[in-house]
Amino acid sequence: IDRNSVPNTTQKITDIEIKENLSKTIADLMNENFSGISVKDIQNGSFQKNVDYRGFTASPLLGESQGISVYLDGVRINESFGDTVQWELVPENAIKQIDLMSSNPAFGLNALGGSLALTTKKGLDYKNIEFIDTINKYGSFNFASELMEYGYGTDSFGTYTSIELNRDGGWRAHSDGEISRFFTNYGFELDALDLNFSFLGGNTDLNGNGVSPIELLQKNRKAVFTWPDKTSNKMYLFYGNTNFYTDNDAVISTNFYHKKLYRTTYN
């Protein structure tokens, strides 16, 4: 649907803006480019941030006022328990577009605040192209990010793969984190049919220690009140999208996915 025909507020970030941005995380990227979005990380490490929009939150923490639906290529990635969003499991290097929309019932339950639709790069985006790209980022507090992506396509077939390794020592004591993600896509395009199959794997080891009394922070801004608060996630997501185009300009679409999340927490 044409963006100007939708009776809601819509904003988007394209692949050009994503590539030019040097933000640490996708949450920071949205904070800098979307109006109405704010990000806070007072209770977590740098990889576990809250994204707030119009009083509602997409947060990895249980108990927050969750009210933003988040979709990855049409697959809802809010967790079934608590509707939380694990931002560190999003394949950030593979994202080519982010669409933010205000409240709309088309995006299902608990989209009171709005919805975020994340679209990934596909092999079919690189027809008759083969490329390999690597990006290395380094920063303060022992931050390091190593990214690699590969894409190749023909007129009817395409493949894309992204590998991400991220580490951050954290500016607070005992608040370090490590993330590794793998994303791959295979796509086929025929005259009246296209198919896409994607696999996402994530392995994270994060420390997100809670708030500290102001009296303690006056002594040492890096201090934590209680620790450890360690969470390790292992996630596997396989999904596919198909579109069949009929002779009378109708489209039959299907979407299927299978997801497993293993969590270990020590608090």
Side-chain angles (χ1 to χ4, degrees), residues 10 32 36-38 46 59 70-71 79 87 93 110 114-115 121 174 186 190 201 210 216 230 236 242-243:
T10 66
E32 294 167 10
I37 285 276
S38 61
S46 61
S59 168
V70 185
Y71 288 83
E79 301 299 339
W87 292 110
N93 193 45
N110 211 15
S115 57
K121 302 171 186 176
H174 313 292
Y186 298 91
L190 306 175
L216 179 60
K230 179 188 286 287
Y236 310 97
T242 64
N243 295 292

Side-chain angles (χ1 to χ4, degrees), residues 84-101:
T84 59
V85 180
Q86 307 301 317
W87 292 110
E88 79 277 10
L89 296 175
V90 173
E92 298 182 359
N93 193 45
I95 300 297
K96 72 174 181 181
Q97 183 166 313
I98 306 171
D99 289 279
L100 171 65
M101 288 146 281

Side-chain angles (χ1 to χ4, degrees), residues 73-75 122 194-197 239-243 254-256:
D73 291 332
V75 176
K122 304 291 193 302
D194 61 61
L195 304 90
N196 269 285
F197 303 98
Y239 64 93
N241 308 94
T242 64
N243 295 292
T254 63
N255 182 333
F256 61 90

